[in-house]
Amino acid sequence: MVQVCLNGRRTAADGAAVPMSPRDLARSAAEAVAAGATSVHVHPKTPCGHDSLSPRVLAPALEAIRARVPVPVGVTTGAWAEPDPSARLARVRSWSVLPDFASVNWHEPGAEEVAGHLLSVGVDVEAGIWSGTGGARRFAVSPLGPRVLRVLAEVTDPDPAAAEASARELLAELGSAHGRPVLLHGEEGGTWPVLRLAGRLGLATRIGLEDTLLLPDGRRAVSNARLVAEARAGDGADACAGGGNSGAEQGS
């Protein structure tokens, strides 16, 4: 399984390749799926380019992407889009068009409540466990742990020389992860070393302009599709595509 992360918290300042509008998100998603992505993760944006959990922002993005791709589509519930836990939960409860899955960062206040609501309305949950936070400890004792779709193990170390070690440390913290599949990925300079590690370990992974703007050789990526193609062609691509987690999306 190779998930594409289309845009993340990036803005127009990061270049024209980063899709922002529903139309551009849909086009980028379609290209990435054609290149081999098996699911889509997106941050719906306001016209000003800010991440938003508003149903008026979420619905057009989801509808546009779903009109172009046959794979599951997920969204963020990150606290940066709505810092107040009560307001964030209210936003999620107001969604009229539901994603197939949503990422919930377990170190953020209110994560259990957001995840619980999503599960109650049939939306699968990716448990976002960031390195360098208390997320793994909180997830280990969460009663919702066995019910999540998978664990999104996010290595926040941007140092290419240290990211693999940070990834292994995070995986050790996760332990059995309630028996749920693990998707392992890095960011910025750590993206490609962590992706290669995921391939060697037979774990699902993700790639896209949210995580990195650069190809492994340091050149600027012109699209999400190019990043996906590079990930599938590079070290460990076969393991990422055919490992034990490749069917994890089937219930989405």
Side-chain angles (χ1 to χ4, degrees):
M1 173 192 165
V2 177
Q3 181 182 92
V4 62
C5 48
L6 296 176
N7 55 357
R9 296 169 68 180
R10 299 198 189 275
T11 68
D14 292 299
V18 180
M20 307 291 281
S21 70
R23 179 180 179 179
D24 287 345
L25 290 168
R27 173 191 49 77
S28 187
E31 293 171 353
V33 170
T38 55
S39 73
V40 175
H41 171 76
V42 61
H43 290 210
K45 303 281 188 179
T46 67
C48 296
H50 300 300
D51 285 11
S52 176
L53 305 182
S54 166
R56 291 179 295 178
V57 175
L58 191 86
L62 286 176
E63 289 169 346
I65 295 169
R66 282 175 168 155
R68 297 287 304 273
V69 303
V71 303
V73 182
V75 300
T76 184
T77 63
W80 56 86
E82 180 52 73
D84 179 76
S86 297
R88 186 162 69 254
L89 179 59
R91 283 288 200 188
V92 173
R93 284 176 170 166
S94 72
W95 289 351
S96 54
V97 176
L98 298 178
D100 296 294
F101 62 92
S103 301
V104 179
N105 299 320
W106 235 258
H107 66 280
E108 294 176 349
E112 296 269 349
E113 290 77 12
V114 169
H117 169 73
L118 290 167
L119 291 169
S120 74
V121 296
V123 176
D124 285 324
V125 170
E126 285 184 326
I129 311 299
W130 294 18
S131 63
T133 71
R137 293 190 299 275
R138 295 180 184 179
F139 183 70
V141 297
S142 172
L144 300 179
R147 298 174 57 194
V148 304
L149 174 66
R150 61 177 157 262
V151 172
L152 187 64
E154 306 199 21
V155 181
T156 59
D157 188 342
D159 183 352
E164 179 177 329
S166 296
R168 291 185 181 278
E169 183 178 345
L170 177 58
L171 292 173
E173 288 182 46
L174 282 168
S176 66
H178 293 286
R180 305 315 300 143
V182 173
L183 186 159
L184 177 67
H185 76 98
E187 61 182 39
E188 304 303 349
T191 299
W192 294 105
V194 174
L195 184 141
R196 288 191 288 269
L197 175 63
R200 294 196 299 273
L201 297 178
L203 298 175
T205 192
R206 81 176 198 185
I207 191 68
L209 293 166
E210 171 174 354
D211 289 343
T212 183
L213 299 173
L214 303 177
L215 297 170
D217 62 6
R219 288 179 297 154
R220 188 89 170 190
V222 298
S223 67
N224 279 300
R226 181 60 190 277
L227 289 168
V228 171
E230 191 74 32
R232 293 191 64 89
D235 293 346
D238 290 340
C240 292
N245 296 322
S246 60
E249 291 286 2
Q250 295 304 309
S252 296

